[in-house]
Amino acid sequence: MELMRREPQQSSMAGRTRSRCPVLLLFLVGVAARVASGVVTDGLLPNGNFEFGPAKSDLNGTRVMGQNSIPNWEISGFVEYIGSGQQQDDMILPVPEGAYAVRLGNDATIRQKLSVNRKTTYSITFCAARTCAQAEQLNVSVAAESGVLPVQTVYTSSGWDSYSYAFRARHSTAWLTIHNPSHEDDPACGPLIDSVAIKALNPPHHTKGNLLRNGDFEEGPFIFPGTAWGVLVPPMDEDDVSPLPGWMVMSDTKVVKYVDAAHHAVPRGARAVELVAGREAALVQEVRGTVPGRRYRLSFSVGDAGNGCEGSLAVEAYAARATARATYESRGTGGSIKRAAVVEFAAIANLTRVVFQSYNHHMKPDGTLCGPVVDDVSLVGLRKHAARRLFL
């Protein structure tokens, strides 16, 4: 990352020119590659980690004064350019990746214009951390779609969480906007933002014989390779586009966490969902085409993420009028129940809502929230004779 840091100001104009040219050349090559390819590719947005910052002449202390002072971004409101380890009063401001981040103070906005493929669904992932405001939240919007991401609850010991948001491209370009709507007595108070990335999502898919879409959770938002805390999937209205295809999160302010096998224990495959909010958030999918009166079997795996979450990790599942609870006794080191949990039910409508919740709240020794992991979810129709053997 050293090549990406800003060079210190030199004592002469010639010195400034010599010191910045190699870095500027690397930056322009990267931008040119993006422009040449047209559509943004999976990964960091251009200058998505804010390592290229404003000139010192565009700074008033840490406040960025020019609308276009941060390369590839437009800003408005009280935006600060923060270096890792910078101190404010008695608080040290960390940066999760690289050396720099931005802070969105009162009514502050950052935005970037994206080149995208029409009718494609994309997820946005970015890192955010609270600072000194009491009820911090972020408004995220792309074109006509927008959502509010609550950042009051911190889910990591570092203070940094990765959040996801999704949109469906209606045109070949779209403005991504991240806005802090708060108005604090201290205009600088507001969340830190770093590492903004994008990922094209495949349409929700069915695996063979499974009525659920994306039941294995393999399709989901971008996870930064260097972060070990997963990605938070926020609550959403039923009409919202989900960053976890096929699934919705129903809650007022709480989330579920999307985790990967590179940093967590996952029952099967490479991805799973950790239910970190107890009964305050539900993971939901609505299955169309079920036949009233016909019997179905819902099965799923439950485990722990290997992240120190100990205790009786219980998941409750609901489908039609049936409920089931599956418990994994966790030592926090990873593992899952030996056999899939099963609930069988008779459909009562052509649309069946499948719901998962953590039965209890759980907390790791460092005080952060955690919970059971759900994976490998399947819904299949039962033949009449098979159901008869099971229930007679």
Side-chain angles (χ1 to χ4, degrees):
M1 295 303 301
E2 292 299 321
L3 285 176
M4 300 182 72
R5 296 184 181 179
R6 294 185 306 162
E7 294 292 327
Q9 191 172 21
Q10 303 295 313
S11 59
S12 68
M13 183 63 71
R16 283 198 298 269
T17 302
R18 286 194 301 270
S19 65
R20 296 178 68 91
C21 276
V23 178
L24 181 61
L25 179 61
L26 286 174
F27 173 62
L28 291 176
V29 168
V31 172
R34 291 278 186 149
V35 172
S37 63
V39 175
V40 290
T41 55
D42 291 357
L44 278 176
L45 294 179
N47 199 24
N49 54 5
F50 303 102
E51 291 301 291
F52 294 98
K56 288 191 174 181
S57 59
D58 289 333
L59 290 171
N60 181 4
T62 57
R63 184 176 180 180
V64 184
M65 304 307 296
Q67 180 183 19
N68 302 108
S69 296
I70 301 177
N72 297 99
W73 295 92
E74 287 188 8
I75 71 165
S76 64
F78 200 104
V79 176
E80 291 182 284
Y81 192 63
I82 302 296
S84 181
Q86 186 170 312
Q87 188 166 345
Q88 180 192 36
D89 299 327
D90 58 349
M91 179 173 55
I92 295 177
L93 304 178
V95 174
E97 191 278 332
Y100 297 97
V102 296
R103 180 159 64 163
L104 305 186
N106 282 351
D107 200 29
T109 296
I110 56 171
R111 68 175 195 157
Q112 184 172 141
K113 192 174 185 178
L114 310 177
S115 296
V116 290
N117 287 317
R118 291 182 64 248
K119 300 182 180 181
T120 298
T121 300
Y122 292 90
S123 67
I124 299 293
T125 301
F126 63 91
C127 294
R130 289 191 60 186
T131 57
C132 47
Q134 293 300 310
E136 296 188 7
Q137 65 181 29
L138 291 167
N139 292 345
V140 180
S141 63
V142 183
E145 299 177 27
S146 63
V148 178
L149 305 184
V151 294
Q152 292 97 324
T153 302
V154 179
Y155 294 88
T156 63
S157 57
S158 70
W160 283 90
D161 287 301
S162 295
Y163 289 84
S164 61
Y165 176 78
F167 69 97
R168 184 170 171 80
R170 302 181 184 182
H171 305 285
S172 59
T173 59
W175 281 98
L176 164 66
T177 301
I178 303 175
H179 172 61
N180 174 24
S182 299
H183 290 270
E184 301 288 331
D185 292 337
D186 181 350
C189 276
L192 288 162
I193 306 294
D194 195 19
S195 298
V196 187
I198 193 169
K199 179 185 175 185
L201 297 174
N202 293 316
H205 64 278
H206 299 270
T207 54
K208 186 176 181 181
N210 191 354
L211 297 177
L212 287 167
R213 297 168 294 162
N214 197 23
D216 54 8
F217 303 110
E218 294 301 292
E219 186 68 21
F222 184 85
I223 297 179
F224 294 107
T227 58
W229 52 72
V231 177
L232 302 179
V233 181
M236 59 196 74
D237 294 330
E238 295 187 27
D239 293 333
D240 287 348
V241 181
S242 175
L244 188 58
W247 297 91
M248 300 180 292
V249 178
M250 309 305 291
S251 178
D252 289 331
T253 61
K254 295 300 188 287
V255 302
V256 302
K257 182 178 288 189
Y258 189 58
V259 297
D260 63 339
H263 303 97
H264 302 82
V266 172
R268 184 176 178 181
R271 304 284 191 271
V273 171
E274 184 182 9
L275 304 178
V276 293
R279 303 181 71 85
E280 295 182 70
L283 183 66
V284 178
Q285 183 166 153
E286 293 185 337
V287 182
R288 299 185 182 278
T290 52
V291 179
R294 184 177 177 182
R295 300 202 68 86
Y296 294 85
R297 178 185 294 137
L298 175 68
S299 64
F300 56 98
S301 293
V302 175
D304 80 84
N307 57 1
C309 195
E310 300 182 17
S312 296
L313 306 183
V315 172
E316 285 193 330
Y318 307 85
R321 295 191 179 98
T323 64
R325 186 185 304 167
T327 302
Y328 178 71
E329 297 297 331
S330 170
R331 296 182 178 179
T333 56
S336 60
I337 55 178
K338 293 182 179 180
R339 294 184 179 180
V342 173
V343 54
E344 295 184 358
F345 65 95
I348 57 176
N350 297 121
L351 185 147
T352 296
R353 176 171 280 196
V354 174
V355 181
F356 293 98
Q357 284 182 299
S358 174
Y359 183 68
N360 290 310
H361 284 84
H362 298 275
M363 191 174 291
K364 292 187 288 186
D366 62 11
T368 56
L369 296 176
C370 62
V373 167
V374 177
D375 198 7
D376 198 22
V377 185
S378 176
L379 179 64
V380 298
L382 296 176
R383 296 180 180 178
K384 290 183 179 180
H385 67 275
R388 191 178 302 116
R389 286 200 303 271
L390 286 166
F391 292 96
L392 287 180

